[in-house]
Amino acid sequence: MELRQLASFLAVVEEGQFARAAARLFLSPPAVTGHIQRLERELGVQLLERSPIALTPAGERLVPHARTMLAAANAATDAVTDLRTDDDLPLRVGVMAPGSAELTPVILRAFRKAQPAIPLIVESLAFAEHTTALTEHRVDLAFVRPRPDDERLNVDVLTTEPRVLILPAAGPTGDADALRLSDVLDLAFVGLSEDVPRVFTDYLYFASARNGMPPRRGVDEAATIQDVLTSASAGRAIGAALYSFSRLYHWPGIRFVPVIDAPWAQSVLASRRDDIRPQVRAFRALATTLARDLGPGLASASEAAGPVILPEP
């Protein structure tokens, strides 16, 4: 699927004629016809009725996604049109797995396609690198959770989600369908190193509900989500996460159980406030556009059970 094919498709939909669509795109009518025919062959469905011009059900479903893809590509292009690409440094993107759920790979793929001349390096981040990877200039942008409270950083919210516990399936609460904060505050959570910032420890341990009391900690210390999952599956401690983790991780011996009265939390794209390079602006613009237009749809398509992620009430 190519952007020019989507542009031809939308032009015909909006103009109602192949000739007017071709004039608008400065193409010949046969070229526009060829774009749409190739798009239909690639998708394996008919998108337009020809006489008269009308959308098929498949075409109606494609229209909003085509507009989003073109808008995202245009936003990225507009933000970097003044760049010289012969001496660009790589754009380094950190991901505290899994980033912003299904949006993370979509955003990375879209940027590579929209700006193939800009080198892109993706690096994994541990919990302790929640803000330091950016402030120490090891990465230029970072998919992290929860929202940092560092005034040196710009923050673009990509998802706002309910909270879940990561529990041993064989544990005393592992068979619950839902829990409340009062049910979980006395459980033993995974430990975190002293290098992990306070905003992350408060997020993991539901600090706002503890009235200053410290959490019980298990014997394991976690540096990444993989460590949390391993500890929980072994029945040694529990963890906490965003709701989207229940779609993305399927480990033996664990369950994700909603905490129905816990405050919702956010996954974000963070960057340095003083980094005004066009390629950083382009990545942020692309990410926020895709999060706004595709986020709920991606969550819905991947949902195995439970509610679709909605904006925080």
Side-chain angles (χ1 to χ4, degrees):
M1 183 186 303
E2 299 178 3
L3 292 177
R4 61 180 180 174
Q5 294 171 348
L6 295 175
S8 291
F9 167 67
L10 287 178
V12 172
V13 170
E14 293 165 1
E15 297 294 339
Q17 285 186 1
F18 279 80
R20 285 203 299 262
R24 172 171 136 183
L25 297 172
F26 301 100
L27 296 172
S28 67
V32 171
T33 299
H35 288 167
I36 294 175
Q37 288 175 339
R38 284 193 292 275
L39 181 60
E40 289 177 325
R41 284 198 299 270
E42 290 177 17
L43 296 177
V45 293
Q46 184 176 349
L47 301 172
L48 293 171
E49 301 286 354
R50 267 44 174 196
S51 298
I53 297 296
L55 285 166
T56 66
E60 290 178 354
R61 185 172 296 183
L62 178 62
V63 165
H65 296 288
R67 286 179 175 148
T68 295
M69 293 174 69
L70 288 173
N74 290 336
T77 299
D78 291 345
V80 297
T81 52
D82 59 341
L83 289 180
R84 291 177 57 198
T85 59
D86 56 347
D87 59 352
D88 288 334
L89 293 175
L91 191 63
R92 301 162 300 169
V93 180
V95 179
M96 182 190 289
S100 293
E102 295 89 351
L103 280 168
T104 306
V106 169
I107 292 167
L108 292 170
R109 286 196 301 266
F111 189 83
R112 287 187 188 276
K113 187 168 185 178
Q115 296 298 331
I118 298 178
L120 192 64
I121 297 175
V122 180
E123 301 184 7
S124 297
L125 301 181
F127 297 152
E129 298 174 293
H130 182 254
T131 55
T132 57
L134 283 165
T135 58
E136 295 175 4
H137 291 249
R138 296 196 300 274
V139 298
D140 305 308
L141 302 116
F143 291 91
V144 298
R145 63 190 178 280
R147 181 185 186 124
D149 59 359
D150 193 318
E151 64 182 10
R152 294 171 293 178
L153 303 180
N154 286 316
V155 174
D156 298 303
V157 176
L158 301 184
T159 70
T160 302
E161 308 181 36
R163 300 295 304 282
V164 297
L165 282 185
I166 305 173
L167 297 170
T173 54
D175 60 350
D177 293 326
L179 294 167
R180 292 186 173 274
L181 285 167
S182 58
D183 301 321
V184 305
L185 295 183
D186 290 333
L187 300 177
F189 283 72
V190 293
L192 296 173
S193 75
E194 294 182 355
D195 296 334
V196 175
R198 176 68 178 272
V199 67
F200 189 89
T201 60
D202 286 352
Y203 152 83
L204 182 70
Y205 298 139
F206 301 101
S208 62
R210 292 185 176 276
N211 296 319
M213 296 297 294
R216 287 182 56 211
R217 304 196 187 195
V219 295
D220 295 332
E221 186 172 285
T224 67
I225 183 58
Q226 285 78 11
D227 297 336
V228 177
L229 295 167
T230 300
S231 183
S233 66
R236 295 166 61 86
I238 71 166
L242 300 178
Y243 181 81
S244 57
F245 286 44
S246 62
R247 298 193 304 270
L248 301 174
Y249 293 104
H250 302 280
W251 280 50
I254 65 169
R255 289 193 68 226
F256 294 91
V257 179
V259 185
I260 57 177
D261 58 344
W264 289 29
Q266 297 169 330
S267 74
V268 306
L269 179 68
S271 59
R272 289 183 297 278
R273 193 175 294 278
D274 62 358
D275 191 345
I276 59 173
R277 289 176 295 161
Q279 55 265 55
V280 173
R281 296 200 309 269
F283 194 98
R284 292 179 60 199
L286 181 63
T288 54
T289 296
L290 290 173
R292 182 190 67 231
D293 295 342
L294 294 185
L298 286 169
S300 178
S302 301
E303 199 73 14
V308 175
I309 294 173
L310 300 172
E312 185 174 14

